């Protein structure tokens, strides 16, 4: 259970105001100030600094926030487990997690089906979003962990690699160039169908293009869609080419609706990772879950 001064600190940090924190906690502003002073005396450093008419956390305040935010979210999880025990000895709280959209659409279904076969009483709540959105949900305690394809702050989050995913260029089977291109520059004459800014699928493309002094605007044109099924449908219809994780196009490649045209100089693999707050007491549980889900993904689909 968090100390009342820790709760005050969290409110001040999140609201960036002693006055609003006092209103939210239903205590006086002098009490808020006293709680923060006591924490500063305990740790021997300033936690907030005045900036204009407002306040901002110091570097020490940021460090303490990360530790207390993890403790608060772990406490919420522990309370949920205790509440479940009060209902039935074998009950467990919901498995609350998030997935980026590629993972949610093309990896999670098989994993969750196998998970429920082995744990039929499990309650599952899965959220979807891009990596930045899921990180924010973890920070707020709305979910406990996430399976992501994008980059994340490794100083704030621990992780376990879930899979190594090939990243490929695809085109419609009846419009693809003959033979595999030698260079990414051989594809610049095509229109590029891609995800919206902020998505992990787009982030990896932009990163590797930039390493070659290129950008998405170097293609003949771009079409942005916030849906992988829509991207695949447009490419299949001949609207252009796209770069996607192979797991997202396996069925279309097998059906020869799309073909792999990944240039020889653009062979890329990227990790899907299970992430959680650094310092969480549930770290080993998350690592064990990552290992189990890796095994579940290898289980053949039911015919």
């Amino acid at each position: 259970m968090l100390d009342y001064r820790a709760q005050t600190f969290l409110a001040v940090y999140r609201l960036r105001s002693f006055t609003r924190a006092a209103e939210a906690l239903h205590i006086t502003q002098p009490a808020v100030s006293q709680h923060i002073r006591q924490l500063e005396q305990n740790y021997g450093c300033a936690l907030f600094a005045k900036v204009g008419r407002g306040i901002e956390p110091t570097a020490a305040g940021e460090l303490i926030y990360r530790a207390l935010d993890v403790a608060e979210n772990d406490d919420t999880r522990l309370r949920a487990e205790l509440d479940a025990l009060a209902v039935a000895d074998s009950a467990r709280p919901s498995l609350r997690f998030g997935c980026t959209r590629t993972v949610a659409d093309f990896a999670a279904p098989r994993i969750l089906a196998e998970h429920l076969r082995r744990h039929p009483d499990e309650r599952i709540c899965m959220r979807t979003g891009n990596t930045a959105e899921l990180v924010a949900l973890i920070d707020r305690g709305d979910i406990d962990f996430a399976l992501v394809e994008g980059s994340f702050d490794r100083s704030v989050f621990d992780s376990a690699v879930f899979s190594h995913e090939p990243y490929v260029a695809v085109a419609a089977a009846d419009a693809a160039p003959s033979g595999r291109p030698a260079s990414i520059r051989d594809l610049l004459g095509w229109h590029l169908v891609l995800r919206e800014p902020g998505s992990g699928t787009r982030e990896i493309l932009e990163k590797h293009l930039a390493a070659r002094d290129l950008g998405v605007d170097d293609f003949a044109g771009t079409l942005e869609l916030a849906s992988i099924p829509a991207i695949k449908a447009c490419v299949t219809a001949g609207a252009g080419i796209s770069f996607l994780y192979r797991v997202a196009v396996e069925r279309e490649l097998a059906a020869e609706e799309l073909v792999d045209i990944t240039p020889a100089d653009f062979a890329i693999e990227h990790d899907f990772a299970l992430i959680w707050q650094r310092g969480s007491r549930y770290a080993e549980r998350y690592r064990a879950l990552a290992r189990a889900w890796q095994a579940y993904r290898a289980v053949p689909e039911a015919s």
Side-chain angles (χ1 to χ4, degrees), residues 158-199:
D158 273 332
S159 66
V161 173
F162 170 69
S163 63
H164 305 288
E165 300 292 339
Y167 188 75
V168 299
V170 293
D174 58 1
S178 58
R180 183 164 297 195
S183 170
I184 184 65
R185 294 181 182 275
D186 295 332
L187 297 180
L188 297 182
W190 290 72
H191 279 73
L192 178 63
V193 187
L194 75 168
R195 286 281 304 277
E196 76 285 358
S199 76

Side-chain angles (χ1 to χ4, degrees), residues 98-163:
C99 291
T100 48
R101 291 184 176 90
T102 299
V103 180
D105 291 344
F106 304 103
R110 182 185 299 185
I111 295 166
L112 295 181
E114 185 63 24
H115 184 95
L116 287 173
R117 274 194 286 272
R118 298 173 186 241
H119 307 282
D121 296 326
E122 187 87 80
R123 293 177 294 167
I124 292 175
C125 178
M126 186 184 85
R127 305 277 291 272
T128 59
N130 62 39
T131 300
E133 291 167 341
L134 297 180
V135 162
L137 290 176
I138 295 174
D139 186 56
R140 292 202 305 267
D142 293 338
I143 59 176
D144 299 317
F145 62 93
L147 275 172
V148 303
E149 62 199 80
S151 300
F152 55 91
D153 188 343
R154 294 180 183 274
S155 70
V156 177
F157 293 93
D158 273 332
S159 66
V161 173
F162 170 69
S163 63

Side-chain angles (χ1 to χ4, degrees), residues 77-96:
R77 176 72 181 176
L78 179 59
R79 288 174 183 272
E81 291 180 342
L82 293 173
D83 289 343
L85 284 176
V87 175
D89 288 344
S90 60
R92 292 196 290 180
S94 297
L95 194 63
R96 306 180 313 152

